[in-house]
Amino acid sequence: MTSATSLPPRAGRHCHNVINPFHSTHYFSPDLHDELAKIGIGSRSAGYFAVRGAAMGAVGPGTITATFYNFSHSLVSRHVPAVWSVASPETVLAARLRAADTTLRRLLGDALLESPEMAEAAELALRAAEAGTRHARPLFASHADLPVPDAPHLAYWHAASLLREHRGDGHLMALLDAELDGLEALVTHNASGRGMSHLGIMKTRGWSQEDWTEAQERLRGRGLLDAEGELTEAGHQLRKDLEDTTDRLDRAPYEHLGAEGVARLTEIAGGFTTAAMEAGAFPAEMFGK
């Protein structure tokens, strides 16, 4: 049974959709690779596992696979826990913050980062994140234990990270309930036209083409994919239900902020994300079918 909400339909999702790219800019940035190389981490896969997992401490491959969900465990195991012998989680977190700062300054410029709107976005997003729930949300909870940076643009980036991980943790609950494993989740999201491209998945997630084909066959067996690999009506309904469930599980931060605050944060965040995208923050070949 869905509880009553004071927000317009999908207002939280719309807000997330323009906040999340602000956080994600550093994952696609040469600045992150440069900062990690300085501390001895040259592999992009090892770097991703380290920067996103460092808030949880020097965890093992099982924890990374569980919390990241759609990466091949064999890929994770090639880099974790070995990466922690190269750089401690604390060293990685400091490098990540430096990379985020450099990337945002390069993409948006100092004037925008020092604008009143950036300070307002940080205040609104941090207020929303206050209402995030820690139980059963390991990535959100661990990031919530980190200090808030002083600079407004980094405070906003930190808040965007919290809101991203809060929704992400909830989304994994929805995927598990829908009985989709990590690769099946990727295949269905790709088939929807909204997820990472097949090229992007193959380059970053550690799955083989054989793995992909086998996942497609399992989904066909459930009536979720057709012979051409497109979503069936049932597949489209499943993806819709997944997002609706994720919205419900992610409602608390946006309810806490209120309809007016969510609308304002969506407006400001949209401007920042548009500017970052126009500056070339994301490689087009990594997204869509």
Side-chain angles (χ1 to χ4, degrees), residues 209-228:
Q209 185 56 47
E210 181 181 2
D211 294 328
W212 180 274
T213 300
E214 290 175 352
Q216 286 183 314
E217 286 304 310
R218 293 195 297 274
L219 293 165
R220 288 191 184 99
R222 293 177 59 182
L224 300 174
L225 284 188
D226 63 21
E228 286 72 41

Side-chain angles (χ1 to χ4, degrees), residues 223-242:
L224 300 174
L225 284 188
D226 63 21
E228 286 72 41
E230 300 294 329
L231 290 175
T232 62
E233 183 177 346
H236 282 292
Q237 186 62 51
L238 178 66
R239 290 302 316 183
K240 179 182 183 301
D241 292 345
L242 282 170

Side-chain angles (χ1 to χ4, degrees), residues 193-215:
R194 296 186 176 90
M196 183 174 283
S197 69
H198 181 262
L199 172 65
I201 293 167
M202 292 296 106
K203 286 178 65 175
T204 63
R205 265 46 181 177
W207 303 104
S208 68
Q209 185 56 47
E210 181 181 2
D211 294 328
W212 180 274
T213 300
E214 290 175 352

Side-chain angles (χ1 to χ4, degrees), residues 165-176:
E165 299 298 6
H166 189 272
R167 184 177 181 86
D169 285 335
H171 188 60
L172 300 193
M173 300 177 203
L175 291 173
L176 195 62

Side-chain angles (χ1 to χ4, degrees), residues 2-267:
T2 302
S3 303
T5 175
S6 62
L7 298 177
R10 293 181 290 281
R13 187 194 306 181
H14 294 157
C15 193
H16 162 81
N17 286 346
V18 291
I19 289 174
N20 182 42
F22 189 89
H23 159 85
S24 299
T25 51
H26 75 297
Y27 291 132
F28 302 91
S29 168
D31 307 311
L32 179 60
H33 183 69
D34 291 346
E35 287 291 346
L36 292 176
K38 291 175 185 176
I39 60 174
I41 302 174
S43 163
R44 292 186 182 276
S45 292
Y48 181 79
F49 299 145
V51 296
R52 194 168 170 219
M56 296 186 289
V59 295
T63 300
I64 296 295
T65 301
T67 54
F68 289 23
Y69 200 81
N70 58 32
F71 287 81
S72 161
H73 184 62
S74 63
L75 175 64
V76 176
S77 298
R78 288 205 293 272
H79 301 290
V80 180
V83 69
W84 306 126
S85 67
V86 177
S88 69
E90 294 76 17
T91 299
V92 170
L93 287 170
R96 184 191 202 189
L97 194 61
R98 291 194 301 271
D101 181 48
T102 303
T103 297
L104 293 171
R105 290 186 184 280
R106 176 171 52 80
L107 292 173
L108 301 180
D110 290 349
L112 192 56
L113 298 192
E114 296 167 6
S115 67
E117 289 78 13
M118 184 63 72
E120 184 182 4
E123 189 275 327
L124 289 169
L126 286 168
R127 193 192 316 161
E130 289 173 353
T133 56
R134 292 175 184 254
H135 45 274
R137 298 183 193 268
L139 281 170
F140 169 77
S142 58
H143 282 81
D145 285 342
L146 300 177
V148 179
D150 292 329
H153 67 287
L154 292 179
Y156 175 50
W157 178 82
H158 173 73
S161 305
L162 292 175
L163 294 171
R164 167 207 169 93
E165 299 298 6
H166 189 272
R167 184 177 181 86
D169 285 335
H171 188 60
L172 300 193
M173 300 177 203
L175 291 173
L176 195 62
D177 183 63
E179 299 182 86
L180 291 177
D181 65 27
L183 183 51
E184 291 165 355
L186 289 171
V187 171
T188 57
H189 200 198
N190 170 262
S192 76
R194 296 186 176 90
M196 183 174 283
S197 69
H198 181 262
L199 172 65
I201 293 167
M202 292 296 106
K203 286 178 65 175
T204 63
R205 265 46 181 177
W207 303 104
S208 68
Q209 185 56 47
E210 181 181 2
D211 294 328
W212 180 274
T213 300
E214 290 175 352
Q216 286 183 314
E217 286 304 310
R218 293 195 297 274
L219 293 165
R220 288 191 184 99
R222 293 177 59 182
L224 300 174
L225 284 188
D226 63 21
E228 286 72 41
E230 300 294 329
L231 290 175
T232 62
E233 183 177 346
H236 282 292
Q237 186 62 51
L238 178 66
R239 290 302 316 183
K240 179 182 183 301
D241 292 345
L242 282 170
E243 293 304 324
D244 289 345
T245 298
T246 304
D247 288 347
R248 177 171 55 82
L249 295 174
D250 191 40
R251 191 174 59 219
Y254 303 101
E255 287 282 4
H256 180 66
L257 189 57
E260 184 176 343
V262 169
R264 178 58 177 160
L265 179 56
T266 303
E267 176 187 7

